[in-house]
Amino acid sequence: MTTPCIICVAITGSLPTKANNPAVPITVAEQIESTQEAFEAGATIVHAHVRNDDETPSSDPDKFAALKEGVEKHCPGMIVQFSTGGRSGAGQTRGGMLSLRPDMASLSVGSNNFPTRVYENPPDLVDWLASEMLTYDVKPEIEAFDLSHILKARDMADKGQLKGTPYVQFVMGVKNAMPVDRDVFDYYIHTVHRLFGPDAPWCAAGIGAKQIVLNEWAIAAGGHARTGLEDNVRIDRDTLAPSNAALVRRAADICEKHERPVATWQEARSILGLGTPANRQTEDAA
């Protein structure tokens, strides 16, 4: 049976502004509305950052709380994934919202170069973020900017720092980090299956014009796909994406091309080993 494809929508990120594309949602209200449109188009994970009113990145737990509440109200069943990335804060402020118990959170387990700086993920911070995710029952998405990050995830799993089978996302196309290379992509898949088993789920994200390339590769190879305005503000070279939902629909069209159903939120939660929202609320109250 063909595995349904989970579509993750990265709605905002830390960098794109309305000057880049007016459709980039900045306020919490805009993000909730954009997420609902993407959910109705087929996205079942929302990868969330928050912003200040001046569009700069924020790590304010109150903003994350309001966003989570709104998504859960308007997109019932959707998987909420918070970013603990380094552009929106430093040190433990990057994980200050994990006590809100989102379903998932991104976890970068190693450092690498970014376009103009080093993306620093020192071991002690990685260990602390992982421990917070265990404490609050938050499933990490391992953001693999390099092959070593996949092997690091295996090491952390062996040490009990990660719960269950890690969900690894290959991030390709960031300037000065891993470029979009098909041989590397195929070896990433081989490595995930070798280290975590043939049924381990994985995802891929491409930056800018490479978003559609990684969508195509991942969907055709049986993986899951990330799209959204965080990574790419255009539909094509000459056309701005009108919404996050438009990018989700483009990924859904690729699923149809490869005869893969788009995962429902129930299927996405099952694939990732996540409880239903009702189960999580019961656990929170216990």
Side-chain angles (χ1 to χ4, degrees):
M1 187 173 86
T2 302
T3 302
C5 178
I6 300 168
I7 299 178
C8 172
V9 60
I11 54 171
T12 301
S14 294
L15 292 180
T17 66
K18 290 188 179 294
N20 302 127
N21 184 331
V24 174
I26 300 298
T27 68
V28 169
E30 288 175 341
Q31 291 186 58
I32 293 167
E33 181 179 5
S34 186
T35 300
Q36 183 177 5
E37 292 172 353
F39 180 62
E40 292 170 353
T44 47
I45 300 176
V46 55
H47 176 76
H49 295 244
V50 292
R51 301 283 193 95
N52 298 307
D53 292 342
D54 64 358
E55 302 191 54
T56 56
S58 173
S59 56
D60 183 353
D62 290 340
K63 291 180 181 291
F64 275 108
L67 178 56
K68 179 174 181 283
E69 180 181 6
V71 170
E72 289 174 343
K73 177 180 178 180
H74 295 284
C75 310
M78 192 177 201
I79 296 166
V80 176
Q81 180 190 103
F82 287 167
S83 172
T84 65
R87 285 194 176 105
S88 56
Q92 294 187 0
T93 62
R94 289 169 50 177
M97 80 303 276
L98 293 173
S99 61
L100 297 169
R101 296 174 61 92
D103 298 291
M104 300 182 72
S106 60
L107 179 62
S108 298
V109 298
S111 301
N112 58 276
N113 285 342
F114 265 9
T116 60
R117 67 184 183 89
V118 175
Y119 180 29
E120 295 185 10
N121 293 290
D124 59 344
L125 177 59
V126 173
D127 290 345
W128 180 81
L129 288 170
S131 70
E132 289 290 283
M133 292 182 197
L134 282 175
T135 296
Y136 295 110
D137 192 27
V138 178
K139 184 178 181 68
E141 177 187 82
I142 305 299
E143 292 194 327
F145 292 87
D146 184 81
L147 178 63
S148 65
H149 299 169
I150 303 175
L151 279 80
K152 176 63 175 176
R154 178 69 267 177
D155 177 65
M156 293 178 70
D158 289 342
K159 293 176 179 176
Q161 293 178 282
L162 305 175
K163 181 180 178 181
T165 301
Y167 185 48
V168 178
Q169 177 176 261
F170 317 145
V171 185
M172 307 184 83
V174 176
K175 184 180 180 181
N176 298 326
M178 182 58 68
V180 175
D181 183 292
R182 184 61 200 236
D183 286 346
V184 172
F185 175 81
D186 290 341
Y187 194 72
Y188 277 178
I189 300 171
H190 167 77
T191 303
V192 166
H193 289 165
R194 176 173 64 86
L195 296 179
F196 299 110
D199 297 325
W202 55 271
C203 178
I207 307 304
K210 298 301 185 180
Q211 183 177 82
I212 193 170
V213 175
L214 267 294
N215 286 171
E216 183 88 35
W217 289 359
I219 292 166
H224 305 287
R226 167 165 146 162
T227 190
L229 292 168
E230 171 177 349
D231 300 335
N232 166 47
V233 298
R234 297 182 176 276
I235 285 286
D236 57 44
R237 181 185 294 273
D238 300 316
T239 310
L240 292 175
S243 63
N244 276 299
L247 294 171
V248 171
R249 285 191 287 269
R250 183 173 72 171
D253 288 343
I254 297 173
C255 290
E256 183 177 5
K257 170 184 172 182
H258 292 284
E259 299 182 342
R260 287 191 64 193
V262 174
T264 64
W265 67 261
Q266 295 93 335
E267 289 169 332
R269 286 179 175 275
S270 176
I271 290 166
L272 297 175
L274 296 171
T276 65
N279 288 344
R280 284 184 62 84
Q281 289 169 8
T282 300
E283 291 168 2
D284 289 350

